[in-house]
Amino acid sequence: SQELEQSPQSLIVQEGKNLTINCTSSKTLYGLYWYKQKYGEGLIFLMMLQKGGEEKSHEKITAKLDEKKQQSSLHITASQPSHAGIYLCGAEEGSNYKLTFGKGTLLTVNP
Amino acid sequence: EPEVTQTPSHQVTQMGQEVILRCVPISNHLYFYWYRQILGQKVEFLVSFYNNEISEKSEIFDDQFSVERPDGSNFTLKIRSTKLEDSAMYFCASSRQGARTPLHFGNGTRLTVT
């Protein structure tokens, strides 16, 4: 089965700083999803990447999938306290479109 | 924006009791899922459901678990005889299609088995 490793496990940044979260797969990624989770709440879809070299942006968040399709990064520019939460990467696996998730990266943004 | 709704938000039950967790997926979605997250652990796939039948289930989804879509709007997860280790946050999700479409998650039901 697919294993996703996220790094770092946790991150504390000062408001306004940029940061990057990485997600590395043991297998080729055919659909890579980024979600954000606030403690005790559901997962909020951020972005989906499919093609090698693909890059997508929404507001101050940019996600990339490398050419080999085994690593993805999530970059936040000029972080704000509203960016705080747990960021999860998820990969499609199998023929029934289930997602396998990484353990998540806990982001704290200090004002 | 349409969203997946789950009820109840928190359920406490005694070991051995049956529980039913309820979900209303987004109305035009065709694929439905249950995931769970034990405190401090990964979000784990339980089961996927399409065209009124289970598409795939994980090893966790044993005979104690069942899913049902009793009408055109609800999607339920039943645990027949709860165990302490079933305590977790259970998330329902739906997607419009299968592959390459994002799953939309509900806010979860926190199940506590005592």
Side-chain angles (χ1 to χ4, degrees), chain B residues 4-45:
Chain B
V4 176
T5 57
Q6 291 186 242
T7 54
S9 57
H10 192 181
Q11 173 123 22
V12 181
T13 189
Q14 287 192 323
M15 197 166 53
Q17 295 296 304
E18 174 183 288
V19 294
I20 297 176
L21 309 183
R22 302 181 191 278
C23 170
V24 178
I26 295 173
S27 61
N28 62 349
H29 284 189
L30 301 177
Y31 291 78
F32 313 113
Y33 309 83
W34 284 100
Y35 285 75
R36 80 172 185 188
Q37 186 177 32
I38 295 171
L39 190 63
Q41 298 187 24
K42 290 183 186 182
V43 176
E44 302 174 289
F45 168 79

mmCIF file of all heavy atoms in Angstrom, chain B residues 4-45:
data_model
loop_
_atom_site.group_PDB
_atom_site.id
_atom_site.type_symbol
_atom_site.label_atom_id
_atom_site.label_comp_id
_atom_site.label_asym_id
_atom_site.label_seq_id
_atom_site.Cartn_x
_atom_site.Cartn_y
_atom_site.Cartn_z
ATOM 1 N N VAL B 4 -21.259 18.597 3.174
ATOM 2 C CA VAL B 4 -21.624 17.313 3.764
ATOM 3 C C VAL B 4 -21.956 17.561 5.235
ATOM 4 O O VAL B 4 -21.184 18.211 5.945
ATOM 5 C CB VAL B 4 -20.451 16.323 3.643
ATOM 6 C CG1 VAL B 4 -20.778 15.008 4.344
ATOM 7 C CG2 VAL B 4 -20.107 16.081 2.171
ATOM 8 N N THR B 5 -23.105 17.068 5.679
ATOM 9 C CA THR B 5 -23.479 17.262 7.076
ATOM 10 C C THR B 5 -23.525 15.923 7.794
ATOM 11 O O THR B 5 -23.971 14.916 7.231
ATOM 12 C CB THR B 5 -24.832 17.974 7.209
ATOM 13 O OG1 THR B 5 -25.825 17.214 6.499
ATOM 14 C CG2 THR B 5 -24.776 19.361 6.618
ATOM 15 N N GLN B 6 -23.055 15.925 9.029
ATOM 16 C CA GLN B 6 -23.019 14.709 9.835
ATOM 17 C C GLN B 6 -23.697 14.947 11.176
ATOM 18 O O GLN B 6 -23.557 16.012 11.771
ATOM 19 C CB GLN B 6 -21.569 14.266 10.096
ATOM 20 C CG GLN B 6 -20.854 13.756 8.876
ATOM 21 C CD GLN B 6 -19.490 13.197 9.210
ATOM 22 O OE1 GLN B 6 -18.472 13.698 8.750
ATOM 23 N NE2 GLN B 6 -19.463 12.125 10.008
ATOM 24 N N THR B 7 -24.430 13.916 11.608
ATOM 25 C CA THR B 7 -25.057 13.969 12.929
ATOM 26 C C THR B 7 -24.923 12.620 13.609
ATOM 27 O O THR B 7 -24.895 11.574 12.939
ATOM 28 C CB THR B 7 -26.555 14.316 12.822
ATOM 29 O OG1 THR B 7 -27.185 13.393 11.925
ATOM 30 C CG2 THR B 7 -26.752 15.736 12.350
ATOM 31 N N PRO B 8 -24.805 12.587 14.940
ATOM 32 C CA PRO B 8 -24.576 13.751 15.787
ATOM 33 C C PRO B 8 -23.126 14.211 15.694
ATOM 34 O O PRO B 8 -22.302 13.529 15.091
ATOM 35 C CB PRO B 8 -24.894 13.198 17.186
ATOM 36 C CG PRO B 8 -24.469 11.761 17.106
ATOM 37 C CD PRO B 8 -24.793 11.315 15.699
ATOM 38 N N SER B 9 -22.809 15.318 16.313
ATOM 39 C CA SER B 9 -21.420 15.773 16.309
ATOM 40 C C SER B 9 -20.604 14.984 17.332
ATOM 41 O O SER B 9 -19.404 14.797 17.163
ATOM 42 C CB SER B 9 -21.342 17.272 16.595
ATOM 43 O OG SER B 9 -21.969 17.563 17.827
ATOM 44 N N HIS B 10 -21.289 14.535 18.386
ATOM 45 C CA HIS B 10 -20.599 13.764 19.406
ATOM 46 C C HIS B 10 -21.555 12.702 19.935
ATOM 47 O O HIS B 10 -22.721 12.999 20.216
ATOM 48 C CB HIS B 10 -20.152 14.693 20.558
ATOM 49 C CG HIS B 10 -19.206 14.049 21.514
ATOM 50 N ND1 HIS B 10 -18.707 14.690 22.616
ATOM 51 C CD2 HIS B 10 -18.655 12.813 21.546
ATOM 52 C CE1 HIS B 10 -17.905 13.881 23.291
ATOM 53 N NE2 HIS B 10 -17.863 12.733 22.651
ATOM 54 N N GLN B 11 -21.066 11.475 20.030
ATOM 55 C CA GLN B 11 -21.878 10.380 20.554
ATOM 56 C C GLN B 11 -21.075 9.596 21.577
ATOM 57 O O GLN B 11 -19.943 9.199 21.291
ATOM 58 C CB GLN B 11 -22.323 9.452 19.418
ATOM 59 C CG GLN B 11 -23.023 8.203 19.857
ATOM 60 C CD GLN B 11 -24.401 8.050 19.252
ATOM 61 O OE1 GLN B 11 -24.698 8.636 18.216
ATOM 62 N NE2 GLN B 11 -25.247 7.294 19.908
ATOM 63 N N VAL B 12 -21.699 9.404 22.725
ATOM 64 C CA VAL B 12 -21.083 8.584 23.767
ATOM 65 C C VAL B 12 -21.928 7.325 23.912
ATOM 66 O O VAL B 12 -23.150 7.402 23.999
ATOM 67 C CB VAL B 12 -21.018 9.331 25.115
ATOM 68 C CG1 VAL B 12 -20.351 8.450 26.170
ATOM 69 C CG2 VAL B 12 -20.262 10.651 24.967
ATOM 70 N N THR B 13 -21.279 6.182 23.913
ATOM 71 C CA THR B 13 -22.011 4.932 24.022
ATOM 72 C C THR B 13 -21.242 3.948 24.887
ATOM 73 O O THR B 13 -20.027 4.104 25.084
ATOM 74 C CB THR B 13 -22.255 4.331 22.625
ATOM 75 O OG1 THR B 13 -23.153 3.225 22.726
ATOM 76 C CG2 THR B 13 -20.953 3.842 21.998
ATOM 77 N N GLN B 14 -21.949 2.970 25.374
ATOM 78 C CA GLN B 14 -21.281 1.951 26.185
ATOM 79 C C GLN B 14 -20.824 0.804 25.291
ATOM 80 O O GLN B 14 -21.470 0.482 24.276
ATOM 81 C CB GLN B 14 -22.233 1.427 27.251
ATOM 82 C CG GLN B 14 -22.465 2.417 28.378
ATOM 83 C CD GLN B 14 -23.169 1.777 29.553
ATOM 84 O OE1 GLN B 14 -24.037 0.930 29.364
ATOM 85 N NE2 GLN B 14 -22.804 2.187 30.756
ATOM 86 N N MET B 15 -19.744 0.190 25.702
ATOM 87 C CA MET B 15 -19.202 -0.959 24.978
ATOM 88 C C MET B 15 -20.288 -2.004 24.749
ATOM 89 O O MET B 15 -21.087 -2.294 25.650
ATOM 90 C CB MET B 15 -18.085 -1.556 25.823
ATOM 91 C CG MET B 15 -17.146 -2.470 25.114
ATOM 92 S SD MET B 15 -15.651 -2.783 26.093
ATOM 93 C CE MET B 15 -16.315 -3.318 27.636
ATOM 94 N N GLY B 16 -20.348 -2.522 23.530
ATOM 95 C CA GLY B 16 -21.333 -3.540 23.200
ATOM 96 C C GLY B 16 -22.623 -2.996 22.604
ATOM 97 O O GLY B 16 -23.427 -3.753 22.068
ATOM 98 N N GLN B 17 -22.809 -1.692 22.704
ATOM 99 C CA GLN B 17 -24.016 -1.078 22.153
ATOM 100 C C GLN B 17 -23.855 -0.825 20.658
ATOM 101 O O GLN B 17 -22.741 -0.690 20.142
ATOM 102 C CB GLN B 17 -24.321 0.244 22.857
ATOM 103 C CG GLN B 17 -24.670 0.095 24.327
ATOM 104 C CD GLN B 17 -25.949 -0.698 24.530
ATOM 105 O OE1 GLN B 17 -26.996 -0.340 23.994
ATOM 106 N NE2 GLN B 17 -25.874 -1.779 25.288
ATOM 107 N N GLU B 18 -24.974 -0.720 19.984
ATOM 108 C CA GLU B 18 -24.990 -0.390 18.558
ATOM 109 C C GLU B 18 -25.074 1.127 18.386
ATOM 110 O O GLU B 18 -25.774 1.798 19.147
ATOM 111 C CB GLU B 18 -26.204 -1.042 17.906
ATOM 112 C CG GLU B 18 -26.408 -0.657 16.442
ATOM 113 C CD GLU B 18 -27.670 -1.277 15.874
ATOM 114 O OE1 GLU B 18 -27.683 -2.503 15.659
ATOM 115 O OE2 GLU B 18 -28.650 -0.534 15.641
ATOM 116 N N VAL B 19 -24.351 1.642 17.408
ATOM 117 C CA VAL B 19 -24.473 3.060 17.093
ATOM 118 C C VAL B 19 -24.682 3.224 15.596
ATOM 119 O O VAL B 19 -24.210 2.413 14.794
ATOM 120 C CB VAL B 19 -23.233 3.882 17.523
ATOM 121 C CG1 VAL B 19 -23.091 3.902 19.022
ATOM 122 C CG2 VAL B 19 -21.966 3.383 16.864
ATOM 123 N N ILE B 20 -25.400 4.269 15.256
ATOM 124 C CA ILE B 20 -25.583 4.627 13.850
ATOM 125 C C ILE B 20 -25.144 6.073 13.683
ATOM 126 O O ILE B 20 -25.652 6.969 14.358
ATOM 127 C CB ILE B 20 -27.047 4.464 13.403
ATOM 128 C CG1 ILE B 20 -27.464 2.995 13.516
ATOM 129 C CG2 ILE B 20 -27.217 4.960 11.962
ATOM 130 C CD1 ILE B 20 -28.934 2.744 13.189
ATOM 131 N N LEU B 21 -24.200 6.252 12.789
ATOM 132 C CA LEU B 21 -23.728 7.591 12.477
ATOM 133 C C LEU B 21 -24.346 8.004 11.149
ATOM 134 O O LEU B 21 -24.364 7.218 10.196
ATOM 135 C CB LEU B 21 -22.197 7.609 12.371
ATOM 136 C CG LEU B 21 -21.431 6.985 13.552
ATOM 137 C CD1 LEU B 21 -19.931 7.135 13.356
ATOM 138 C CD2 LEU B 21 -21.876 7.557 14.867
ATOM 139 N N ARG B 22 -24.814 9.233 11.108
ATOM 140 C CA ARG B 22 -25.584 9.660 9.935
ATOM 141 C C ARG B 22 -24.878 10.758 9.158
ATOM 142 O O ARG B 22 -24.184 11.602 9.728
ATOM 143 C CB ARG B 22 -26.963 10.144 10.383
ATOM 144 C CG ARG B 22 -27.734 9.081 11.132
ATOM 145 C CD ARG B 22 -29.110 9.524 11.567
ATOM 146 N NE ARG B 22 -29.671 8.542 12.491
ATOM 147 C CZ ARG B 22 -30.265 7.415 12.125
ATOM 148 N NH1 ARG B 22 -30.400 7.121 10.838
ATOM 149 N NH2 ARG B 22 -30.745 6.575 13.028
ATOM 150 N N CYS B 23 -25.112 10.742 7.877
ATOM 151 C CA CYS B 23 -24.458 11.688 6.971
ATOM 152 C C CYS B 23 -25.445 12.045 5.864
ATOM 153 O O CYS B 23 -26.200 11.189 5.379
ATOM 154 C CB CYS B 23 -23.214 11.018 6.384
ATOM 155 S SG CYS B 23 -22.411 11.898 5.033
ATOM 156 N N VAL B 24 -25.416 13.319 5.489
ATOM 157 C CA VAL B 24 -26.133 13.731 4.289
ATOM 158 C C VAL B 24 -25.082 14.248 3.318
ATOM 159 O O VAL B 24 -24.516 15.321 3.512
ATOM 160 C CB VAL B 24 -27.177 14.823 4.578
ATOM 161 C CG1 VAL B 24 -27.861 15.244 3.281
ATOM 162 C CG2 VAL B 24 -28.197 14.327 5.581
ATOM 163 N N PRO B 25 -24.767 13.466 2.285
ATOM 164 C CA PRO B 25 -23.757 13.905 1.326
ATOM 165 C C PRO B 25 -24.275 15.068 0.469
ATOM 166 O O PRO B 25 -25.452 15.411 0.510
ATOM 167 C CB PRO B 25 -23.539 12.663 0.457
ATOM 168 C CG PRO B 25 -24.134 11.518 1.216
ATOM 169 C CD PRO B 25 -25.240 12.109 2.019
ATOM 170 N N ILE B 26 -23.391 15.642 -0.313
ATOM 171 C CA ILE B 26 -23.786 16.694 -1.246
ATOM 172 C C ILE B 26 -24.688 16.075 -2.304
ATOM 173 O O ILE B 26 -24.419 14.972 -2.799
ATOM 174 C CB ILE B 26 -22.543 17.362 -1.861
ATOM 175 C CG1 ILE B 26 -21.784 18.082 -0.742
ATOM 176 C CG2 ILE B 26 -22.920 18.336 -2.972
ATOM 177 C CD1 ILE B 26 -20.453 18.662 -1.148
ATOM 178 N N SER B 27 -25.749 16.782 -2.660
ATOM 179 C CA SER B 27 -26.874 16.159 -3.354
ATOM 180 C C SER B 27 -26.548 15.570 -4.723
ATOM 181 O O SER B 27 -27.115 14.569 -5.106
ATOM 182 C CB SER B 27 -28.029 17.153 -3.492
ATOM 183 O OG SER B 27 -27.605 18.270 -4.254
ATOM 184 N N ASN B 28 -25.654 16.146 -5.481
ATOM 185 C CA ASN B 28 -25.385 15.598 -6.812
ATOM 186 C C ASN B 28 -24.150 14.703 -6.836
ATOM 187 O O ASN B 28 -23.633 14.365 -7.911
ATOM 188 C CB ASN B 28 -25.245 16.726 -7.851
ATOM 189 C CG ASN B 28 -24.082 17.645 -7.556
ATOM 190 O OD1 ASN B 28 -23.500 17.585 -6.480
ATOM 191 N ND2 ASN B 28 -23.734 18.495 -8.503
ATOM 192 N N HIS B 29 -23.685 14.315 -5.672
ATOM 193 C CA HIS B 29 -22.523 13.434 -5.605
ATOM 194 C C HIS B 29 -22.957 11.977 -5.704
ATOM 195 O O HIS B 29 -24.050 11.604 -5.250
ATOM 196 C CB HIS B 29 -21.746 13.686 -4.313
ATOM 197 C CG HIS B 29 -20.941 14.942 -4.361
ATOM 198 N ND1 HIS B 29 -20.030 15.258 -3.395
ATOM 199 C CD2 HIS B 29 -20.898 15.960 -5.255
ATOM 200 C CE1 HIS B 29 -19.448 16.420 -3.698
ATOM 201 N NE2 HIS B 29 -19.971 16.861 -4.816
ATOM 202 N N LEU B 30 -22.058 11.163 -6.272
ATOM 203 C CA LEU B 30 -22.395 9.772 -6.528
ATOM 204 C C LEU B 30 -21.583 8.788 -5.693
ATOM 205 O O LEU B 30 -21.956 7.616 -5.590
ATOM 206 C CB LEU B 30 -22.167 9.464 -8.009
ATOM 207 C CG LEU B 30 -22.968 10.317 -8.995
ATOM 208 C CD1 LEU B 30 -22.582 9.949 -10.427
ATOM 209 C CD2 LEU B 30 -24.469 10.132 -8.789
ATOM 210 N N TYR B 31 -20.448 9.234 -5.164
ATOM 211 C CA TYR B 31 -19.555 8.348 -4.420
ATOM 212 C C TYR B 31 -19.539 8.789 -2.960
ATOM 213 O O TYR B 31 -19.435 9.982 -2.670
ATOM 214 C CB TYR B 31 -18.126 8.410 -4.995
ATOM 215 C CG TYR B 31 -18.008 7.810 -6.365
ATOM 216 C CD1 TYR B 31 -18.433 8.510 -7.487
ATOM 217 C CD2 TYR B 31 -17.468 6.543 -6.539
ATOM 218 C CE1 TYR B 31 -18.329 7.956 -8.751
ATOM 219 C CE2 TYR B 31 -17.355 5.977 -7.800
ATOM 220 C CZ TYR B 31 -17.790 6.698 -8.899
ATOM 221 O OH TYR B 31 -17.688 6.137 -10.151
ATOM 222 N N PHE B 32 -19.614 7.825 -2.095
ATOM 223 C CA PHE B 32 -19.706 8.129 -0.673
ATOM 224 C C PHE B 32 -18.671 7.308 0.081
ATOM 225 O O PHE B 32 -18.345 6.176 -0.316
ATOM 226 C CB PHE B 32 -21.108 7.824 -0.146
ATOM 227 C CG PHE B 32 -22.189 8.378 -1.027
ATOM 228 C CD1 PHE B 32 -23.037 7.530 -1.721
ATOM 229 C CD2 PHE B 32 -22.351 9.743 -1.188
ATOM 230 C CE1 PHE B 32 -24.017 8.035 -2.563
ATOM 231 C CE2 PHE B 32 -23.325 10.257 -2.024
ATOM 232 C CZ PHE B 32 -24.162 9.395 -2.714
ATOM 233 N N TYR B 33 -18.171 7.886 1.161
ATOM 234 C CA TYR B 33 -17.065 7.276 1.899
ATOM 235 C C TYR B 33 -17.241 7.487 3.402
ATOM 236 O O TYR B 33 -17.836 8.475 3.837
ATOM 237 C CB TYR B 33 -15.730 7.924 1.509
ATOM 238 C CG TYR B 33 -15.469 8.000 0.019
ATOM 239 C CD1 TYR B 33 -16.014 9.032 -0.743
ATOM 240 C CD2 TYR B 33 -14.673 7.064 -0.619
ATOM 241 C CE1 TYR B 33 -15.773 9.119 -2.102
ATOM 242 C CE2 TYR B 33 -14.430 7.144 -1.978
ATOM 243 C CZ TYR B 33 -14.982 8.179 -2.712
ATOM 244 O OH TYR B 33 -14.740 8.258 -4.065
ATOM 245 N N TRP B 34 -16.669 6.570 4.141
ATOM 246 C CA TRP B 34 -16.443 6.782 5.571
ATOM 247 C C TRP B 34 -14.957 6.619 5.855
ATOM 248 O O TRP B 34 -14.316 5.681 5.354
ATOM 249 C CB TRP B 34 -17.233 5.792 6.420
ATOM 250 C CG TRP B 34 -18.691 6.107 6.512
ATOM 251 C CD1 TRP B 34 -19.702 5.534 5.801
ATOM 252 C CD2 TRP B 34 -19.314 7.075 7.364
ATOM 253 N NE1 TRP B 34 -20.902 6.086 6.150
ATOM 254 C CE2 TRP B 34 -20.697 7.038 7.114
ATOM 255 C CE3 TRP B 34 -18.841 7.977 8.323
ATOM 256 C CZ2 TRP B 34 -21.608 7.852 7.771
ATOM 257 C CZ3 TRP B 34 -19.747 8.785 8.975
ATOM 258 C CH2 TRP B 34 -21.112 8.719 8.701
ATOM 259 N N TYR B 35 -14.449 7.559 6.630
ATOM 260 C CA TYR B 35 -13.081 7.517 7.127
ATOM 261 C C TYR B 35 -13.144 7.663 8.638
ATOM 262 O O TYR B 35 -14.142 8.152 9.186
ATOM 263 C CB TYR B 35 -12.254 8.682 6.566
ATOM 264 C CG TYR B 35 -11.848 8.529 5.122
ATOM 265 C CD1 TYR B 35 -12.761 8.717 4.092
ATOM 266 C CD2 TYR B 35 -10.536 8.206 4.791
ATOM 267 C CE1 TYR B 35 -12.383 8.575 2.768
ATOM 268 C CE2 TYR B 35 -10.138 8.064 3.466
ATOM 269 C CZ TYR B 35 -11.077 8.252 2.463
ATOM 270 O OH TYR B 35 -10.690 8.109 1.157
ATOM 271 N N ARG B 36 -12.067 7.283 9.302
ATOM 272 C CA ARG B 36 -12.026 7.549 10.737
ATOM 273 C C ARG B 36 -10.634 8.033 11.112
ATOM 274 O O ARG B 36 -9.639 7.791 10.415
ATOM 275 C CB ARG B 36 -12.404 6.313 11.549
ATOM 276 C CG ARG B 36 -11.290 5.315 11.714
ATOM 277 C CD ARG B 36 -11.649 4.224 12.685
ATOM 278 N NE ARG B 36 -10.507 3.358 12.905
ATOM 279 C CZ ARG B 36 -10.553 2.229 13.586
ATOM 280 N NH1 ARG B 36 -11.698 1.811 14.127
ATOM 281 N NH2 ARG B 36 -9.474 1.500 13.746
ATOM 282 N N GLN B 37 -10.582 8.717 12.244
ATOM 283 C CA GLN B 37 -9.310 9.225 12.749
ATOM 284 C C GLN B 37 -9.276 9.009 14.255
ATOM 285 O O GLN B 37 -9.996 9.673 15.002
ATOM 286 C CB GLN B 37 -9.144 10.711 12.421
ATOM 287 C CG GLN B 37 -7.790 11.282 12.792
ATOM 288 C CD GLN B 37 -7.653 12.730 12.374
ATOM 289 O OE1 GLN B 37 -8.618 13.482 12.354
ATOM 290 N NE2 GLN B 37 -6.430 13.135 12.018
ATOM 291 N N ILE B 38 -8.474 8.047 14.664
ATOM 292 C CA ILE B 38 -8.236 7.856 16.080
ATOM 293 C C ILE B 38 -7.340 8.997 16.550
ATOM 294 O O ILE B 38 -6.452 9.438 15.811
ATOM 295 C CB ILE B 38 -7.592 6.491 16.351
ATOM 296 C CG1 ILE B 38 -8.581 5.378 15.976
ATOM 297 C CG2 ILE B 38 -7.140 6.356 17.787
ATOM 298 C CD1 ILE B 38 -8.007 3.985 15.993
ATOM 299 N N LEU B 39 -7.582 9.475 17.764
ATOM 300 C CA LEU B 39 -6.877 10.633 18.281
ATOM 301 C C LEU B 39 -5.366 10.502 18.111
ATOM 302 O O LEU B 39 -4.762 9.525 18.549
ATOM 303 C CB LEU B 39 -7.225 10.820 19.756
ATOM 304 C CG LEU B 39 -6.751 12.129 20.391
ATOM 305 C CD1 LEU B 39 -7.433 13.311 19.709
ATOM 306 C CD2 LEU B 39 -7.047 12.137 21.889
ATOM 307 N N GLY B 40 -4.779 11.475 17.425
ATOM 308 C CA GLY B 40 -3.338 11.488 17.253
ATOM 309 C C GLY B 40 -2.826 10.640 16.107
ATOM 310 O O GLY B 40 -1.611 10.553 15.892
ATOM 311 N N GLN B 41 -3.744 10.005 15.376
ATOM 312 C CA GLN B 41 -3.313 9.129 14.282
ATOM 313 C C GLN B 41 -3.799 9.640 12.926
ATOM 314 O O GLN B 41 -4.457 10.665 12.838
ATOM 315 C CB GLN B 41 -3.813 7.706 14.543
ATOM 316 C CG GLN B 41 -3.233 7.104 15.811
ATOM 317 C CD GLN B 41 -3.593 5.649 15.972
ATOM 318 O OE1 GLN B 41 -3.886 4.940 14.996
ATOM 319 N NE2 GLN B 41 -3.560 5.165 17.198
ATOM 320 N N LYS B 42 -3.446 8.900 11.895
ATOM 321 C CA LYS B 42 -3.805 9.295 10.535
ATOM 322 C C LYS B 42 -5.300 9.158 10.291
ATOM 323 O O LYS B 42 -5.984 8.356 10.944
ATOM 324 C CB LYS B 42 -3.123 8.367 9.525
ATOM 325 C CG LYS B 42 -1.638 8.507 9.386
ATOM 326 C CD LYS B 42 -1.164 7.563 8.279
ATOM 327 C CE LYS B 42 0.335 7.534 8.173
ATOM 328 N NZ LYS B 42 0.781 6.661 7.074
ATOM 329 N N VAL B 43 -5.782 9.893 9.320
ATOM 330 C CA VAL B 43 -7.119 9.661 8.798
ATOM 331 C C VAL B 43 -7.079 8.371 7.969
ATOM 332 O O VAL B 43 -6.254 8.240 7.063
ATOM 333 C CB VAL B 43 -7.573 10.847 7.918
ATOM 334 C CG1 VAL B 43 -8.922 10.562 7.293
ATOM 335 C CG2 VAL B 43 -7.612 12.136 8.740
ATOM 336 N N GLU B 44 -7.958 7.420 8.314
ATOM 337 C CA GLU B 44 -7.913 6.099 7.678
ATOM 338 C C GLU B 44 -9.198 5.814 6.903
ATOM 339 O O GLU B 44 -10.301 6.068 7.404
ATOM 340 C CB GLU B 44 -7.815 4.994 8.742
ATOM 341 C CG GLU B 44 -6.642 5.063 9.674
ATOM 342 C CD GLU B 44 -6.760 4.007 10.750
ATOM 343 O OE1 GLU B 44 -7.629 4.137 11.647
ATOM 344 O OE2 GLU B 44 -5.971 3.028 10.698
ATOM 345 N N PHE B 45 -9.039 5.228 5.756
ATOM 346 C CA PHE B 45 -10.171 4.830 4.931
ATOM 347 C C PHE B 45 -10.893 3.637 5.565
ATOM 348 O O PHE B 45 -10.261 2.687 6.032
ATOM 349 C CB PHE B 45 -9.661 4.456 3.538
ATOM 350 C CG PHE B 45 -10.651 3.766 2.659
ATOM 351 C CD1 PHE B 45 -11.629 4.486 1.998
ATOM 352 C CD2 PHE B 45 -10.602 2.386 2.483
ATOM 353 C CE1 PHE B 45 -12.539 3.853 1.168
ATOM 354 C CE2 PHE B 45 -11.510 1.742 1.664
ATOM 355 C CZ PHE B 45 -12.475 2.480 0.997
#
